[in-house]
Structures are given as structure tokens and as C-alpha cells.
Amino acid sequence: MEKFNAVVDFLFAHKMLLSTLILVVVWLVRRVVLSYIRGDVAFITEKQRKWMSRTKNGAFTIIVLLLFMLWQSEISEFALSVTAIAVAIVVASKEIILCFTGSIQRASSRSFRIGDWIEVGSISGEVIEHNMMATVIQEIALQKSHYHYTGKTATLPNSMFFLYPVKNLNFMKRYVFHDITIVVPEFVNLFPLIPQIHERIEVHFAHFMDVARRYNAVIEKHAGVDLPGADPHVEITSTAAGEQVVHIKIFCPTERATYLEQLIRKDFMELYEQKYPRVPVEMMAQA
């Protein structure tokens, strides 16, 4: 017992050594816990990411608390000595303070959590980790309506939450409103094609249309607004140059949006060629 007390007294007498020991022990425990949570799987699940993030944040909090308790007297003396330059320190650490307050704002507003799809400024992706300083997302190509991962990881400082609105796109993980635009150079009557386009779309959507309507109703109930229905919408407009533009809005599974767009474009081109066959150049020359 005397030896144990002697070791404790020695460590408290040499605070730098004790601080290093605390960092090493917490880091080792953190690494073991993270390894246990991850396991041998190739892809990390959303539940694993949540527990890994909690472990990292918990380890960081424990380190801060232990070091603060250990160096409390020195910190108090230091705080008193820098009172005169406190304003300068605040100005110099403005970005760090914004990151901390941005983290508090995120936690208090519950704007997103790990696994959600978010859009901050021009960056979109799935949240895979967040802490007091930054939020890490796996980038998704939402700007081009592809809905697939780009393989890039973006680290956003929490101060961005004060500069840009945070859009929670979590409902888009399953179903999405996907817009398709088709430009027709010739000014012809396209309205007879609309019923046929609807028929083709209904064939492609037959196996998931009931689920899409139920999911659309869930989104409306959660958001409290009247959203466009799950049924496809087809509209025709024209440009100042005389071109006609066919706008098709569909509500479909996110992972199949691009594939369904290609099918719908193919169907429209086939129907357009049947309705307005092209006259060969040779025949036009003979005429």
C-alpha cells in the first residue's frame, strides 16, 4: 500500500508524465473498443458508425476532463495572467470558438445525426462522424442527380453551420423526386404522346408503386406539408428558340433513379420516332 501511495505521489508530482500516461491509456482503450465495434466486416453499418463516433467523442471528453482536473491550478493561474490579452485571444481563436458553438447549435437543433444525408452549401453527403470541431461526410453526387457515392470524404468545420443552411435529405436515402428533361428541337405536337408515356412509366413502376405511395404519405405526415404525389407528372414547355422541353417528374427508389431515367428516355425516343418518323435525306432531295 505504501508503494502504491508512493507511485501516486510521484505521478502527481510529475504532471507531465501523468498526462502522457493518461493519453496513452485512453488511446489504447479507445483503439481496442473501436476495433471491437468494427469487427471483421468490410463495410461499416450505420449502427457501428454511431457507436464509433460515440466512442471517439467519449474518449476526447474523458481526456479533456482528466487533464483539466489535473492541471486545474495551473490553468487558473494562467487564466489570471492572460486577462489583459483575453480580447486578443478571442479574436485569434474566433474560428475555433465558431466550431464549438456550431457543434452546440447542431446538437441543440438536432438538424442531423450519423447516417443522415445532408447538404451544406454545395457539398452533399452522408454523415459518418461528427465531433466538437468538425463533421465528416461521405460525398454523394446529388448535384448531378446521380445519387451515388463519389468515393471522396469531406470534413466540414462546424463553423459552416452558421454560414450555410443545413438541408437534411434523409428521406432521399430510400425514395426521391427525380426530374427528367428531354429537349425536342422540332416544334411538333407532343401532347398525343403523353398518355403513351404514362403507360410506359406505369409498366416500369408497377412493382414498387404501392410502396412509393405509402412512403410519400409518410414524408407528407412527417413534414406537415402537401407534397407532389407519387404518380409521375409530365409537362411540356417551349423555349424562346422554338424548342420544346418535356419535363417528367417521378417518385422512385433512389438507387434506381438513373436506371429508370434511361428507360423513360428510351421509351420517349421510340414513341417520338413512331409518331414523327424522319424522312431520309435522299427522299427529301428527290422531292
PDB file of all heavy atoms in Angstrom, residues 22-23 26 30 53-69 100 103 130-132:
ATOM      1  N   ILE A  22      -2.027   9.230 -19.074  1.00  0.00           N
ATOM      2  CA  ILE A  22      -3.476   9.297 -19.311  1.00  0.00           C
ATOM      3  C   ILE A  22      -3.785   9.224 -20.800  1.00  0.00           C
ATOM      4  O   ILE A  22      -4.684   8.486 -21.234  1.00  0.00           O
ATOM      5  CB  ILE A  22      -4.044  10.591 -18.693  1.00  0.00           C
ATOM      6  CG1 ILE A  22      -4.005  10.532 -17.170  1.00  0.00           C
ATOM      7  CG2 ILE A  22      -5.488  10.828 -19.173  1.00  0.00           C
ATOM      8  CD1 ILE A  22      -4.395  11.839 -16.497  1.00  0.00           C
ATOM      9  N   LEU A  23      -3.037   9.985 -21.601  1.00  0.00           N
ATOM     10  CA  LEU A  23      -3.268   9.976 -23.047  1.00  0.00           C
ATOM     11  C   LEU A  23      -3.051   8.594 -23.644  1.00  0.00           C
ATOM     12  O   LEU A  23      -3.839   8.127 -24.476  1.00  0.00           O
ATOM     13  CB  LEU A  23      -2.338  10.994 -23.716  1.00  0.00           C
ATOM     14  CG  LEU A  23      -2.629  12.474 -23.435  1.00  0.00           C
ATOM     15  CD1 LEU A  23      -1.529  13.349 -24.038  1.00  0.00           C
ATOM     16  CD2 LEU A  23      -3.976  12.874 -24.008  1.00  0.00           C
ATOM     17  N   VAL A  26      -5.953   6.091 -22.410  1.00  0.00           N
ATOM     18  CA  VAL A  26      -7.233   6.366 -23.063  1.00  0.00           C
ATOM     19  C   VAL A  26      -7.160   6.014 -24.547  1.00  0.00           C
ATOM     20  O   VAL A  26      -8.111   5.454 -25.114  1.00  0.00           O
ATOM     21  CB  VAL A  26      -7.642   7.839 -22.868  1.00  0.00           C
ATOM     22  CG1 VAL A  26      -8.900   8.164 -23.665  1.00  0.00           C
ATOM     23  CG2 VAL A  26      -7.857   8.144 -21.398  1.00  0.00           C
ATOM     24  N   ARG A  30      -9.472   3.307 -26.326  1.00  0.00           N
ATOM     25  CA  ARG A  30     -10.265   3.765 -27.476  1.00  0.00           C
ATOM     26  C   ARG A  30     -10.019   2.889 -28.685  1.00  0.00           C
ATOM     27  O   ARG A  30     -10.955   2.494 -29.391  1.00  0.00           O
ATOM     28  CB  ARG A  30      -9.901   5.215 -27.781  1.00  0.00           C
ATOM     29  CG  ARG A  30     -10.508   5.790 -29.049  1.00  0.00           C
ATOM     30  CD  ARG A  30     -10.038   7.227 -29.204  1.00  0.00           C
ATOM     31  NE  ARG A  30     -10.493   7.844 -30.435  1.00  0.00           N
ATOM     32  CZ  ARG A  30      -9.814   7.796 -31.598  1.00  0.00           C
ATOM     33  NH1 ARG A  30      -8.666   7.149 -31.656  1.00  0.00           N
ATOM     34  NH2 ARG A  30     -10.295   8.390 -32.676  1.00  0.00           N
ATOM     35  N   SER A  53     -18.516   6.775 -33.360  1.00  0.00           N
ATOM     36  CA  SER A  53     -18.490   8.214 -33.107  1.00  0.00           C
ATOM     37  C   SER A  53     -18.651   8.508 -31.617  1.00  0.00           C
ATOM     38  O   SER A  53     -17.965   9.370 -31.067  1.00  0.00           O
ATOM     39  CB  SER A  53     -19.603   8.910 -33.904  1.00  0.00           C
ATOM     40  OG  SER A  53     -19.622  10.290 -33.654  1.00  0.00           O
ATOM     41  N   ARG A  54     -19.558   7.773 -30.943  1.00  0.00           N
ATOM     42  CA  ARG A  54     -19.737   7.971 -29.501  1.00  0.00           C
ATOM     43  C   ARG A  54     -18.457   7.620 -28.742  1.00  0.00           C
ATOM     44  O   ARG A  54     -18.099   8.304 -27.768  1.00  0.00           O
ATOM     45  CB  ARG A  54     -20.893   7.106 -29.006  1.00  0.00           C
ATOM     46  CG  ARG A  54     -22.258   7.554 -29.507  1.00  0.00           C
ATOM     47  CD  ARG A  54     -23.309   6.505 -29.216  1.00  0.00           C
ATOM     48  NE  ARG A  54     -24.610   6.878 -29.774  1.00  0.00           N
ATOM     49  CZ  ARG A  54     -25.638   6.046 -29.878  1.00  0.00           C
ATOM     50  NH1 ARG A  54     -25.516   4.789 -29.466  1.00  0.00           N
ATOM     51  NH2 ARG A  54     -26.782   6.454 -30.399  1.00  0.00           N
ATOM     52  N   THR A  55     -17.776   6.570 -29.174  1.00  0.00           N
ATOM     53  CA  THR A  55     -16.536   6.175 -28.515  1.00  0.00           C
ATOM     54  C   THR A  55     -15.469   7.246 -28.661  1.00  0.00           C
ATOM     55  O   THR A  55     -14.782   7.605 -27.694  1.00  0.00           O
ATOM     56  CB  THR A  55     -16.031   4.845 -29.096  1.00  0.00           C
ATOM     57  OG1 THR A  55     -17.024   3.832 -28.921  1.00  0.00           O
ATOM     58  CG2 THR A  55     -14.745   4.403 -28.411  1.00  0.00           C
ATOM     59  N   LYS A  56     -15.322   7.781 -29.871  1.00  0.00           N
ATOM     60  CA  LYS A  56     -14.315   8.822 -30.100  1.00  0.00           C
ATOM     61  C   LYS A  56     -14.632  10.082 -29.304  1.00  0.00           C
ATOM     62  O   LYS A  56     -13.745  10.665 -28.671  1.00  0.00           O
ATOM     63  CB  LYS A  56     -14.235   9.141 -31.600  1.00  0.00           C
ATOM     64  CG  LYS A  56     -13.689   8.003 -32.441  1.00  0.00           C
ATOM     65  CD  LYS A  56     -13.702   8.363 -33.922  1.00  0.00           C
ATOM     66  CE  LYS A  56     -13.176   7.218 -34.771  1.00  0.00           C
ATOM     67  NZ  LYS A  56     -13.212   7.536 -36.225  1.00  0.00           N
ATOM     68  N   ASN A  57     -15.884  10.501 -29.345  1.00  0.00           N
ATOM     69  CA  ASN A  57     -16.278  11.696 -28.599  1.00  0.00           C
ATOM     70  C   ASN A  57     -16.146  11.483 -27.093  1.00  0.00           C
ATOM     71  O   ASN A  57     -15.731  12.384 -26.359  1.00  0.00           O
ATOM     72  CB  ASN A  57     -17.710  12.095 -28.939  1.00  0.00           C
ATOM     73  CG  ASN A  57     -17.848  12.579 -30.375  1.00  0.00           C
ATOM     74  OD1 ASN A  57     -16.886  13.039 -30.971  1.00  0.00           O
ATOM     75  ND2 ASN A  57     -19.033  12.466 -30.930  1.00  0.00           N
ATOM     76  N   GLY A  58     -16.498  10.267 -26.627  1.00  0.00           N
ATOM     77  CA  GLY A  58     -16.368   9.969 -25.203  1.00  0.00           C
ATOM     78  C   GLY A  58     -14.925   9.973 -24.744  1.00  0.00           C
ATOM     79  O   GLY A  58     -14.594  10.490 -23.669  1.00  0.00           O
ATOM     80  N   ALA A  59     -14.032   9.387 -25.566  1.00  0.00           N
ATOM     81  CA  ALA A  59     -12.613   9.385 -25.227  1.00  0.00           C
ATOM     82  C   ALA A  59     -12.057  10.798 -25.179  1.00  0.00           C
ATOM     83  O   ALA A  59     -11.276  11.158 -24.273  1.00  0.00           O
ATOM     84  CB  ALA A  59     -11.842   8.547 -26.245  1.00  0.00           C
ATOM     85  N   PHE A  60     -12.458  11.622 -26.145  1.00  0.00           N
ATOM     86  CA  PHE A  60     -11.997  13.015 -26.155  1.00  0.00           C
ATOM     87  C   PHE A  60     -12.490  13.769 -24.918  1.00  0.00           C
ATOM     88  O   PHE A  60     -11.733  14.514 -24.289  1.00  0.00           O
ATOM     89  CB  PHE A  60     -12.506  13.705 -27.426  1.00  0.00           C
ATOM     90  CG  PHE A  60     -12.159  15.169 -27.511  1.00  0.00           C
ATOM     91  CD1 PHE A  60     -10.878  15.573 -27.835  1.00  0.00           C
ATOM     92  CD2 PHE A  60     -13.120  16.131 -27.244  1.00  0.00           C
ATOM     93  CE1 PHE A  60     -10.558  16.927 -27.907  1.00  0.00           C
ATOM     94  CE2 PHE A  60     -12.814  17.485 -27.312  1.00  0.00           C
ATOM     95  CZ  PHE A  60     -11.521  17.874 -27.642  1.00  0.00           C
ATOM     96  N   THR A  61     -13.757  13.536 -24.538  1.00  0.00           N
ATOM     97  CA  THR A  61     -14.311  14.206 -23.355  1.00  0.00           C
ATOM     98  C   THR A  61     -13.594  13.780 -22.085  1.00  0.00           C
ATOM     99  O   THR A  61     -13.283  14.610 -21.212  1.00  0.00           O
ATOM    100  CB  THR A  61     -15.813  13.900 -23.231  1.00  0.00           C
ATOM    101  OG1 THR A  61     -16.472  14.299 -24.440  1.00  0.00           O
ATOM    102  CG2 THR A  61     -16.430  14.623 -22.057  1.00  0.00           C
ATOM    103  N   ILE A  62     -13.313  12.482 -21.963  1.00  0.00           N
ATOM    104  CA  ILE A  62     -12.610  11.976 -20.774  1.00  0.00           C
ATOM    105  C   ILE A  62     -11.213  12.580 -20.669  1.00  0.00           C
ATOM    106  O   ILE A  62     -10.771  12.983 -19.582  1.00  0.00           O
ATOM    107  CB  ILE A  62     -12.538  10.440 -20.828  1.00  0.00           C
ATOM    108  CG1 ILE A  62     -13.941   9.848 -20.627  1.00  0.00           C
ATOM    109  CG2 ILE A  62     -11.584   9.899 -19.765  1.00  0.00           C
ATOM    110  CD1 ILE A  62     -14.002   8.351 -20.839  1.00  0.00           C
ATOM    111  N   ILE A  63     -10.512  12.659 -21.798  1.00  0.00           N
ATOM    112  CA  ILE A  63      -9.164  13.240 -21.789  1.00  0.00           C
ATOM    113  C   ILE A  63      -9.211  14.698 -21.350  1.00  0.00           C
ATOM    114  O   ILE A  63      -8.414  15.140 -20.510  1.00  0.00           O
ATOM    115  CB  ILE A  63      -8.522  13.112 -23.182  1.00  0.00           C
ATOM    116  CG1 ILE A  63      -8.171  11.649 -23.475  1.00  0.00           C
ATOM    117  CG2 ILE A  63      -7.268  13.984 -23.290  1.00  0.00           C
ATOM    118  CD1 ILE A  63      -7.653  11.414 -24.876  1.00  0.00           C
ATOM    119  N   VAL A  64     -10.162  15.447 -21.901  1.00  0.00           N
ATOM    120  CA  VAL A  64     -10.267  16.876 -21.551  1.00  0.00           C
ATOM    121  C   VAL A  64     -10.570  17.052 -20.072  1.00  0.00           C
ATOM    122  O   VAL A  64      -9.949  17.876 -19.377  1.00  0.00           O
ATOM    123  CB  VAL A  64     -11.350  17.556 -22.416  1.00  0.00           C
ATOM    124  CG1 VAL A  64     -11.619  18.972 -21.917  1.00  0.00           C
ATOM    125  CG2 VAL A  64     -10.904  17.605 -23.873  1.00  0.00           C
ATOM    126  N   LEU A  65     -11.512  16.259 -19.544  1.00  0.00           N
ATOM    127  CA  LEU A  65     -11.883  16.382 -18.131  1.00  0.00           C
ATOM    128  C   LEU A  65     -10.733  16.008 -17.209  1.00  0.00           C
ATOM    129  O   LEU A  65     -10.447  16.707 -16.223  1.00  0.00           O
ATOM    130  CB  LEU A  65     -13.106  15.507 -17.838  1.00  0.00           C
ATOM    131  CG  LEU A  65     -14.434  15.965 -18.448  1.00  0.00           C
ATOM    132  CD1 LEU A  65     -15.532  14.957 -18.152  1.00  0.00           C
ATOM    133  CD2 LEU A  65     -14.825  17.337 -17.920  1.00  0.00           C
ATOM    134  N   LEU A  66     -10.065  14.885 -17.520  1.00  0.00           N
ATOM    135  CA  LEU A  66      -8.958  14.440 -16.661  1.00  0.00           C
ATOM    136  C   LEU A  66      -7.804  15.437 -16.674  1.00  0.00           C
ATOM    137  O   LEU A  66      -7.240  15.759 -15.618  1.00  0.00           O
ATOM    138  CB  LEU A  66      -8.474  13.056 -17.110  1.00  0.00           C
ATOM    139  CG  LEU A  66      -9.434  11.888 -16.857  1.00  0.00           C
ATOM    140  CD1 LEU A  66      -8.866  10.598 -17.413  1.00  0.00           C
ATOM    141  CD2 LEU A  66      -9.720  11.739 -15.359  1.00  0.00           C
ATOM    142  N   LEU A  67      -7.452  15.927 -17.852  1.00  0.00           N
ATOM    143  CA  LEU A  67      -6.354  16.891 -17.935  1.00  0.00           C
ATOM    144  C   LEU A  67      -6.730  18.216 -17.263  1.00  0.00           C
ATOM    145  O   LEU A  67      -5.888  18.862 -16.633  1.00  0.00           O
ATOM    146  CB  LEU A  67      -5.960  17.125 -19.396  1.00  0.00           C
ATOM    147  CG  LEU A  67      -5.324  15.929 -20.117  1.00  0.00           C
ATOM    148  CD1 LEU A  67      -4.968  16.297 -21.541  1.00  0.00           C
ATOM    149  CD2 LEU A  67      -4.071  15.454 -19.377  1.00  0.00           C
ATOM    150  N   PHE A  68      -7.998  18.606 -17.394  1.00  0.00           N
ATOM    151  CA  PHE A  68      -8.431  19.844 -16.737  1.00  0.00           C
ATOM    152  C   PHE A  68      -8.356  19.706 -15.217  1.00  0.00           C
ATOM    153  O   PHE A  68      -7.903  20.623 -14.522  1.00  0.00           O
ATOM    154  CB  PHE A  68      -9.861  20.184 -17.162  1.00  0.00           C
ATOM    155  CG  PHE A  68     -10.412  21.422 -16.493  1.00  0.00           C
ATOM    156  CD1 PHE A  68     -10.063  22.678 -16.952  1.00  0.00           C
ATOM    157  CD2 PHE A  68     -11.259  21.312 -15.399  1.00  0.00           C
ATOM    158  CE1 PHE A  68     -10.560  23.818 -16.330  1.00  0.00           C
ATOM    159  CE2 PHE A  68     -11.760  22.446 -14.771  1.00  0.00           C
ATOM    160  CZ  PHE A  68     -11.409  23.702 -15.238  1.00  0.00           C
ATOM    161  N   MET A  69      -8.799  18.564 -14.698  1.00  0.00           N
ATOM    162  CA  MET A  69      -8.725  18.332 -13.255  1.00  0.00           C
ATOM    163  C   MET A  69      -7.281  18.268 -12.780  1.00  0.00           C
ATOM    164  O   MET A  69      -6.956  18.759 -11.683  1.00  0.00           O
ATOM    165  CB  MET A  69      -9.466  17.036 -12.898  1.00  0.00           C
ATOM    166  CG  MET A  69     -10.972  17.080 -13.133  1.00  0.00           C
ATOM    167  SD  MET A  69     -11.768  15.467 -12.953  1.00  0.00           S
ATOM    168  CE  MET A  69     -11.393  15.092 -11.248  1.00  0.00           C
ATOM    169  N   PHE A 100     -16.894  25.236 -32.052  1.00  0.00           N
ATOM    170  CA  PHE A 100     -17.520  24.730 -30.831  1.00  0.00           C
ATOM    171  C   PHE A 100     -18.987  25.143 -30.757  1.00  0.00           C
ATOM    172  O   PHE A 100     -19.863  24.319 -30.450  1.00  0.00           O
ATOM    173  CB  PHE A 100     -16.760  25.234 -29.601  1.00  0.00           C
ATOM    174  CG  PHE A 100     -15.585  24.369 -29.224  1.00  0.00           C
ATOM    175  CD1 PHE A 100     -14.298  24.785 -29.494  1.00  0.00           C
ATOM    176  CD2 PHE A 100     -15.778  23.142 -28.611  1.00  0.00           C
ATOM    177  CE1 PHE A 100     -13.219  23.994 -29.155  1.00  0.00           C
ATOM    178  CE2 PHE A 100     -14.698  22.339 -28.270  1.00  0.00           C
ATOM    179  CZ  PHE A 100     -13.409  22.760 -28.544  1.00  0.00           C
ATOM    180  N   SER A 103     -21.088  23.237 -33.133  1.00  0.00           N
ATOM    181  CA  SER A 103     -21.399  21.899 -32.632  1.00  0.00           C
ATOM    182  C   SER A 103     -22.559  21.947 -31.642  1.00  0.00           C
ATOM    183  O   SER A 103     -23.447  21.084 -31.659  1.00  0.00           O
ATOM    184  CB  SER A 103     -20.156  21.300 -31.960  1.00  0.00           C
ATOM    185  OG  SER A 103     -20.453  20.048 -31.395  1.00  0.00           O
ATOM    186  N   HIS A 130     -19.148  12.963 -36.437  1.00  0.00           N
ATOM    187  CA  HIS A 130     -19.147  14.367 -36.045  1.00  0.00           C
ATOM    188  C   HIS A 130     -18.593  14.487 -34.627  1.00  0.00           C
ATOM    189  O   HIS A 130     -18.741  13.586 -33.806  1.00  0.00           O
ATOM    190  CB  HIS A 130     -20.547  14.998 -36.140  1.00  0.00           C
ATOM    191  CG  HIS A 130     -21.603  14.293 -35.335  1.00  0.00           C
ATOM    192  ND1 HIS A 130     -21.634  14.287 -33.954  1.00  0.00           N
ATOM    193  CD2 HIS A 130     -22.680  13.564 -35.721  1.00  0.00           C
ATOM    194  CE1 HIS A 130     -22.669  13.612 -33.529  1.00  0.00           C
ATOM    195  NE2 HIS A 130     -23.328  13.145 -34.576  1.00  0.00           N
ATOM    196  N   ASN A 131     -17.928  15.589 -34.373  1.00  0.00           N
ATOM    197  CA  ASN A 131     -17.357  15.855 -33.058  1.00  0.00           C
ATOM    198  C   ASN A 131     -17.486  17.343 -32.759  1.00  0.00           C
ATOM    199  O   ASN A 131     -18.215  18.061 -33.443  1.00  0.00           O
ATOM    200  CB  ASN A 131     -15.897  15.381 -32.985  1.00  0.00           C
ATOM    201  CG  ASN A 131     -15.062  15.910 -34.141  1.00  0.00           C
ATOM    202  OD1 ASN A 131     -15.099  17.098 -34.451  1.00  0.00           O
ATOM    203  ND2 ASN A 131     -14.320  15.025 -34.800  1.00  0.00           N
ATOM    204  N   MET A 132     -16.764  17.827 -31.750  1.00  0.00           N
ATOM    205  CA  MET A 132     -16.886  19.220 -31.332  1.00  0.00           C
ATOM    206  C   MET A 132     -16.331  20.204 -32.359  1.00  0.00           C
ATOM    207  O   MET A 132     -16.695  21.377 -32.358  1.00  0.00           O
ATOM    208  CB  MET A 132     -16.170  19.422 -29.996  1.00  0.00           C
ATOM    209  CG  MET A 132     -16.804  18.685 -28.835  1.00  0.00           C
ATOM    210  SD  MET A 132     -18.476  19.268 -28.464  1.00  0.00           S
ATOM    211  CE  MET A 132     -18.115  20.895 -27.812  1.00  0.00           C
TER     212      MET A 132
END
